[in-house]
C-alpha cells in the first residue's frame, strides 16, 4: 500500500500548488513544496520495498465481468523496482531544477508531479485492461498539460500528433486484449494468447519508437530539460514495465520461428540506427529519444525471447 500512498501524495502536492496559485498569486515557495512532496514520496516508495508483494483489485464495473477482467494492481518486486526509478527521477529532476527556478513556474513542477503519479499507476498495472486504462489516463492528462502550457499553434499541433500516435498504441493493445479474451477469456497477461503478440509489438512501436513525447517542447529548452525529461522517461517506463511483464507471461513459448525472424531483424535495425543517432546527437536532450528507442528495442527483443531477466 505504500506505493499507492506515494501516488496520492504526489497528486495532493500538485493540487496544493494549484490551490496556492489560485488563492495567493504572490506565493514564492512552489519549488520547495514540490521538492518536499517528491522527497517524501520517494522515501515512501523505498519503504514499500519492505512489504512485498501486495495486490489491490478494484471491483468489476460490470457484475457479469469475471475476476480476470477487473481493474487490478500489483506492487511486486518488478513494479517496485520501476516505482523506485520513477520516484528517484521526479526527486532528482526537481532538485536539479533549483538552478533554473527563475526560468520555470509552478505549473512545470505540478505537472511533473502529476505525470509521475499517473506513471506509477501504469507501472502497478497487472492486466491488459488496467494497462489500457492507465495509458489512456496518462495520454489525456499529458495532452491537456501540454495544450495549457504551449503558446504556439505549431507546438500544440505537435502535442496532438503525439497524443494521436500514443492512442494508436493503446488501440493496438486493446486489439491484443480482444484477441486474448477470444482465445482464453482473460485479460490477464499470463493467460494472454501468443496470437496477440504482434499487436503487443505494435503497441511498443507506437509508444517507444515514434514521435518523441517531448517534441512539443522543442522551442522551450528549459521546460524540455525539466518537464520534458519527466514526460519522456515516464512514458517509456510504463511501456517497458509492460514488456517485462509480457516476457514473464510468455515464458515457455517459442517465438523464434521464421515468421518472427524479420521482426527480430527490424528490432535490431531500430537499435542500431537509434544508437547511431544518439552517438551523433549534439547534446543529451537531442539524443534522449534515440537512447530511449535503442534501450526499448533491447527490451522488446528480450520480451520476444521470453527473457524477463534480460
Amino acid at each position: 500500500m505504500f506505493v499507492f500512498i506515494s501516488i496520492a501524495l504526489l497528486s495532493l502536492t500538485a493540487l496544493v500548488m494549484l490551490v496556492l496559485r489560485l488563492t495567493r498569486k504572490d506565493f514564492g515557495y512552489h519549488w520547495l513544496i514540490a521538492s518536499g512532496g517528491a522527497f517524501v514520496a520517494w522515501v515512501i516508495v523505498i519503504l514499500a520495498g519492505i512489504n512485498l508483494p501486495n495486490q489491490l483489485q478494484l471491483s468489476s464495473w460490470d457484475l457479469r465481468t469475471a475476476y480476470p477482467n477487473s481493474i487490478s494492481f500489483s506492487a511486486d518486486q518488478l513494479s517496485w523496482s520501476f516505482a523506485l526509478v520513477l520516484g528517484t527521477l521526479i526527486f532528482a529532476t526537481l532538485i536539479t531544477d533549483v538552478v533554473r527556478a527563475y526560468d520555470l513556474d509552478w505549473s512545470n513542477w505540478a505537472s511533473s508531479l502529476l505525470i509521475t503519479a499517473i506513471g506509477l499507476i501504469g507501472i502497478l498495472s497487472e492486466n491488459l485492461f488496467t494497462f489500457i486504462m492507465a495509458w489512456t489516463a496518462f495520454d489525456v492528462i499529458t495532452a491537456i498539460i501540454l495544450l495549457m502550457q504551449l503558446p504556439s499553434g505549431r507546438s500544440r499541433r505537435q502535442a496532438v500528433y503525439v497524443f494521436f500516435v500514443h492512442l494508436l498504441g493503446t488501440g493496438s493493445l486493446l486489439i491484443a486484449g480482444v484477441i486474448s479474451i477470444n482465445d482464453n477469456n482473460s485479460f490477464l497477461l499470463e493467460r494472454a494468447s501468443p496470437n496477440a503478440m504482434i499487436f503487443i509489438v505494435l503497441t511498443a512501436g507506437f509508444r517507444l519508437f515514434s514521435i518523441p513525447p517531448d517534441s512539443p517542447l522543442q522551442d522551450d529548452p528549459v521546460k524540455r530539460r525539466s518537464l520534458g525529461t519527466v514526460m519522456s522517461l515516464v512514458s517509456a517506463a510504463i511501456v517497458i514495465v509492460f514488456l517485462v511483464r509480457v516476457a514473464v507471461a510468455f515464458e515457455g513459448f517459442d517465438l523464434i520461428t521464421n515468421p518472427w525472424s524479420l521482426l527480430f531483424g527490424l528490432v535490431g535495425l531500430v537499435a542500431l540506427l537509434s544508437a547511431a543517432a544518439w552517438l551523433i546527437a549534439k547534446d543529451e536532450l537531442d539524443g534522449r529519444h534515440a537512447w530511449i528507442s535503442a534501450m526499448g528495442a533491447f527490451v522488446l527483443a528480450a520480451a520476444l525471447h521470453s527473457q524477463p531477466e534480460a
Side-chain angles (χ1 to χ4, degrees):
M1 292 298 293
F2 279 103
V3 180
F4 300 103
I5 295 175
S6 295
I7 294 173
L9 178 61
L10 291 172
S11 303
L12 181 61
T13 304
L15 179 61
V16 168
M17 295 174 68
L18 174 61
V19 172
L20 287 172
R21 175 61 180 176
L22 295 176
T23 58
R24 297 182 58 185
K25 294 186 181 297
D26 59 342
F27 188 78
Y29 298 96
H30 289 289
W31 175 85
L32 189 60
I33 293 175
S35 57
F39 173 73
V40 175
W42 178 59
V43 172
I44 292 175
V45 170
I46 294 175
L47 296 176
I50 300 174
N51 186 25
L52 292 174
N54 277 319
Q55 187 182 63
L56 175 65
Q57 183 205 345
L58 303 184
S59 300
S60 300
W61 288 2
D62 188 337
L63 294 178
R64 295 170 298 176
T65 304
Y67 156 73
N69 303 329
S70 304
I71 297 177
S72 183
F73 301 99
S74 178
D76 54 12
Q77 187 65 43
L78 172 61
S79 57
W80 175 78
S81 300
F82 280 89
L84 182 59
V85 168
L86 291 196
T88 306
L89 170 66
I90 183 62
F91 179 51
T93 302
L94 290 174
I95 286 296
T96 54
D97 271 352
V98 69
V99 300
R100 292 178 291 273
Y102 288 105
D103 298 317
L104 296 169
D105 56 27
W106 70 275
S107 62
N108 184 87
W109 300 315
S111 299
S112 296
L113 291 169
L114 186 58
I115 288 173
T116 304
I118 301 298
L120 286 172
I121 294 175
I123 280 175
L124 295 174
S125 300
E126 188 179 31
N127 58 25
L128 290 173
F129 180 67
T130 313
F131 273 112
I132 290 171
M133 298 296 291
W135 288 5
T136 302
F138 177 86
D139 294 337
V140 170
I141 290 175
T142 301
I144 292 174
I145 289 173
L146 287 174
L147 291 176
M148 291 178 62
Q149 295 204 17
L150 296 173
S152 68
R154 185 181 67 85
S155 298
R156 290 189 173 190
R157 285 194 298 271
Q158 193 75 7
V160 174
Y161 296 154
V162 172
F163 174 75
F164 177 72
V165 171
H166 283 188
L167 198 61
L168 289 177
T170 305
S172 180
L173 184 60
L174 181 60
I175 295 175
V178 171
I179 294 174
S180 180
I181 286 286
N182 183 64
D183 291 345
N184 296 322
N185 194 32
S186 175
F187 256 151
L188 290 177
L189 278 172
E190 59 266 26
R191 294 181 60 187
S193 168
N195 296 327
M197 179 59 80
I198 185 63
F199 293 98
I200 289 175
V201 172
L202 286 175
T203 296
F206 280 124
R207 301 192 70 97
L208 284 176
F209 310 132
S210 57
I211 305 175
D214 66 333
S215 57
L217 299 173
Q218 291 281 353
D219 297 333
D220 192 341
V222 177
K223 284 188 177 181
R224 188 184 177 202
R225 185 176 296 277
S226 177
L227 177 60
T229 296
V230 174
M231 190 179 302
S232 297
L233 296 183
V234 172
S235 178
I238 61 177
V239 183
I240 289 176
V241 71
F242 167 74
L243 290 176
V244 177
R245 290 201 180 278
V246 167
V248 173
F250 282 90
E251 280 187 299
F253 287 100
D254 185 15
L255 295 176
I256 316 303
T257 56
N258 289 332
W260 291 95
S261 299
L262 178 60
L263 180 59
F264 278 104
L266 291 175
V267 171
L269 182 62
V270 169
L272 183 62
L273 293 178
S274 298
W278 176 82
L279 187 63
I280 63 176
K282 65 180 181 180
D283 56 32
E284 70 278 10
L285 290 182
D286 282 348
R288 180 166 58 202
H289 185 65
W291 180 81
I292 291 173
S293 297
M295 297 306 297
F298 279 109
V299 176
L300 180 56
L304 293 173
H305 276 279
S306 302
Q307 295 176 346
E309 296 85 358

